[in-house]
Amino acid sequence: MKTTLNRFDILSLVLGSIIGWGAFTLPGIKFLPESGVINTMIGLLLGGFAIIFIQKGYHIMMQQHAEDGGGFSYTFKNLGKMHGFIVGWSLILCYLSIVPLNATAFVLIVKILFGTNVEWFYLYDIAGYPVYLSEVLIASMVLILFAILNIRGLRKSSNVQNVMVLFLIINIAIVFIAMLFDTGSATISTNYIKNYTLNLSEIAKVVAIIPFLFVGFDIIPQVATQLKFKPEKATWIAIISVFSGVVAYSILTIVTALAFSPNQAKQLDWALGEAVLTHVGSIGFLLLIIALMTAVSGGINGFMISSSRLLASLSVYKLCHPKYKKLTRNAVPVNSVLFITAISLLAPWFGREVIIYIVDMSSFLAAIAYFYVCLISYKYATTKWDQWLTFIGVMISISFILLLILPQSPGKLSTPSLLFMGLWGIIGFFYYRSYTKKHA
């Protein structure tokens, strides 16, 4: 039985994948302390426009390839097995790592509501982060719940996503308006607007993580065969979703800035939540928590769909075991969903800090896929204008990569993230050699 997704379904899936846990925590821990309000908004806006050029490459490729798999299948068909594997190996970790990240974020939401009462049965510390059995169990239950939802079919998971995204958007809007009425502009004006200076380094710190923040738009080609409309028409949905993400990240940054200076925000565990609780009260805080829960849920659901369908595509192209391409009558790659869930269930045992190190690599991994897609789409571009757009997409992708790895770059990845990235590359090298040799 073929499942079809309409425009609103796709919008919800993409938007729910873009506006995740980071939208609620980055304003306090990164955006305000490192870039302030205006430079953060400039960085987000520049990143949004950069994604448009990259999306043009996906638009062209979706016109050429009516199948799931996205950047992986495009690269495999046009550049061969090795390059296809590089893209697939990059994207699978990029998507997969965000699933347990959002699941462990659920634990943090529970801790916000109930404090240390949920911390029981201490196990050990990893990278300075204490791991409790209770937290592992909470994250595991959330993952299993969404696995069951996904196995029941894309239609079911999409309906849930639609409801969550509606709550997310409405609650963010209500909290923003309430904060404006209560706080006024004195704090944000004093700390962020007066004496403002344009700082390219501060902007670059935001631009560097754009591939991670907006990688959710890549869910569209992963479900290309389930679209109720022509795949290339999904381009506008992707663009609307990306700029809705820009607006959402900007609004939540402004809400935090309405209450705290950069130093104050950095010292708080959750600056955004503290701002809303102090100025809007418990009702506003509850709305924010609901918005946060829907954002986290949307991230788990969206990236579980992306990663499982990508794994199924790897299986179709004989780069992993054939059992992962098996579909249920609802066209769900059930073994892929189970595998993604199993790996995600392991992640909470390593602590949230290790997961964050891996997730930080996601910008680099996504940028690799963007580079390949734009490079291939340049070949298929039928007009000079399209060639220019895709060429710019190639240059933007390279810029993202350089921002993340050059030693002097303001957006350079942390040492642990670089080490994990090197390790993932080495594992991929040996996996590719052994698997392709075995099936030659």
Side-chain angles (χ1 to χ4, degrees):
M1 183 171 67
K2 183 175 173 62
T3 301
T4 55
L5 302 175
N6 60 38
R7 287 170 174 80
F8 185 71
D9 295 331
I10 292 297
L11 180 65
S12 296
L13 283 171
V14 178
L15 202 52
S17 300
I18 288 174
I19 307 173
W21 170 257
F24 293 80
T25 56
L26 287 174
I29 64 176
K30 182 176 179 66
F31 290 159
L32 294 183
E34 293 184 3
S35 304
V37 173
I38 298 175
N39 286 332
T40 292
M41 292 175 67
I42 292 173
L44 289 168
L45 197 60
L46 288 175
F49 281 113
I51 295 295
I52 288 181
F53 290 101
I54 292 166
Q55 172 58 31
K56 181 63 180 179
Y58 279 87
H59 172 86
I60 291 172
M61 295 313 299
M62 287 179 74
Q63 290 177 317
Q64 301 293 327
H65 296 272
E67 59 188 76
D68 295 341
F72 158 69
S73 60
Y74 305 155
T75 307
F76 189 102
K77 280 197 163 186
N78 288 277
L79 297 179
K81 183 183 288 187
M82 185 184 73
H83 291 285
F85 176 78
I86 291 170
V87 174
W89 192 250
S90 299
L91 285 178
I92 197 69
L93 183 62
C94 179
Y95 297 160
L96 176 55
S97 62
I98 300 174
V99 176
L101 175 75
N102 280 294
T104 53
F106 239 102
V107 176
L108 299 183
I109 297 172
V110 174
K111 288 173 75 172
I112 289 169
L113 295 173
F114 301 105
T116 55
N117 293 324
V118 298
E119 294 179 349
W120 49 267
F121 210 121
Y122 168 80
L123 297 174
Y124 40 75
D125 273 31
I126 293 185
Y129 189 92
V131 179
Y132 292 89
L133 180 60
S134 57
E135 297 182 357
V136 172
L137 292 176
I138 292 169
S140 299
M141 285 189 292
V142 171
L143 288 167
I144 292 169
L145 175 65
F146 279 97
I148 293 170
L149 180 65
N150 272 269
I151 289 170
R152 291 185 65 188
L154 188 57
R155 179 73 270 156
K156 297 284 186 184
S157 59
S158 181
N159 288 339
V160 172
Q161 188 90 344
N162 292 345
V163 174
M164 290 189 297
V165 168
L166 276 175
F167 273 109
L168 173 64
I169 294 170
I170 292 169
N171 285 10
I172 287 177
I174 292 172
V175 167
F176 177 56
I177 294 168
M179 278 293 291
L180 281 175
F181 275 106
D182 186 82
T183 61
S185 60
T187 301
I188 191 171
S189 178
T190 301
N191 292 293
Y192 301 100
I193 298 176
K194 290 179 180 178
N195 303 317
Y196 162 76
T197 54
L198 182 72
N199 188 309
L200 296 180
S201 176
E202 292 179 358
I203 294 170
K205 289 178 181 179
V206 178
V207 172
I209 63 170
I210 288 297
F212 160 65
L213 295 184
F214 297 148
V215 71
F217 86 87
D218 196 22
I219 194 174
I220 296 175
Q222 297 299 339
V223 294
T225 57
Q226 279 76 42
L227 300 183
K228 199 175 183 178
F229 49 95
K230 289 185 178 180
E232 58 268 21
K233 290 187 177 179
T235 294
W236 282 107
I237 296 175
I239 293 172
I240 290 169
S241 299
V242 166
F243 280 97
S244 296
V246 170
V247 172
Y249 277 91
S250 299
I251 283 175
L252 294 172
T253 301
I254 292 170
V255 167
T256 312
L258 286 168
F260 301 120
S261 68
N263 289 332
Q264 289 172 328
K266 192 174 184 178
Q267 291 169 6
L268 295 167
D269 290 333
W270 187 28
L272 174 61
E274 193 68 35
V276 174
L277 183 61
T278 303
H279 292 278
V280 184
S282 55
I283 294 177
F285 186 71
L286 179 61
L287 291 175
L288 185 68
I289 290 293
I290 293 171
L292 177 54
M293 289 181 69
T294 56
V296 168
S297 300
I300 297 172
N301 192 49
F303 285 104
M304 189 171 281
I305 291 170
S306 296
S307 52
S308 61
R309 291 182 181 275
L310 174 59
L311 183 60
S313 294
L314 285 164
S315 180
V316 168
Y317 286 95
K318 300 179 181 179
L319 285 173
C320 64
H321 198 283
K323 68 180 181 182
Y324 295 116
K325 65 183 178 182
K326 178 186 175 183
L327 301 177
T328 66
R329 66 185 187 88
N330 291 324
V332 175
V334 60
N335 290 326
S336 291
V337 173
L338 292 173
F339 179 81
I340 296 301
T341 305
I343 296 298
S344 299
L345 286 169
L346 291 175
W349 294 91
F350 292 94
R352 185 170 170 81
E353 198 65 28
V354 173
I355 298 172
I356 290 173
Y357 287 147
I358 296 172
V359 169
D360 284 347
M361 298 157 46
S362 296
S363 279
F364 179 85
L365 298 173
I368 289 175
Y370 297 165
F371 167 77
Y372 272 102
V373 171
C374 291
L375 187 66
I376 296 165
S377 62
Y378 179 83
K379 181 181 74 171
Y380 284 103
T382 55
T383 66
K384 284 287 185 183
W385 177 243
D386 283 352
Q387 285 183 336
W388 270 108
L389 291 177
T390 52
F391 176 75
I392 293 171
V394 171
M395 292 297 103
I396 287 172
S397 302
I398 293 172
S399 299
F400 281 141
I401 292 170
L402 294 178
L403 272 174
L404 292 161
I405 61 173
L406 286 179
Q408 303 304 318
S409 169
K412 179 177 172 287
L413 289 171
S414 66
T415 300
S417 293
L418 289 171
L419 290 173
F420 275 118
M421 192 165 67
L423 180 61
W424 185 245
I426 292 169
I427 294 171
F429 173 77
F430 284 106
Y431 172 86
Y432 179 78
R433 282 193 63 183
S434 62
Y435 197 85
T436 52
K437 189 175 181 181
K438 178 181 176 182
H439 293 275

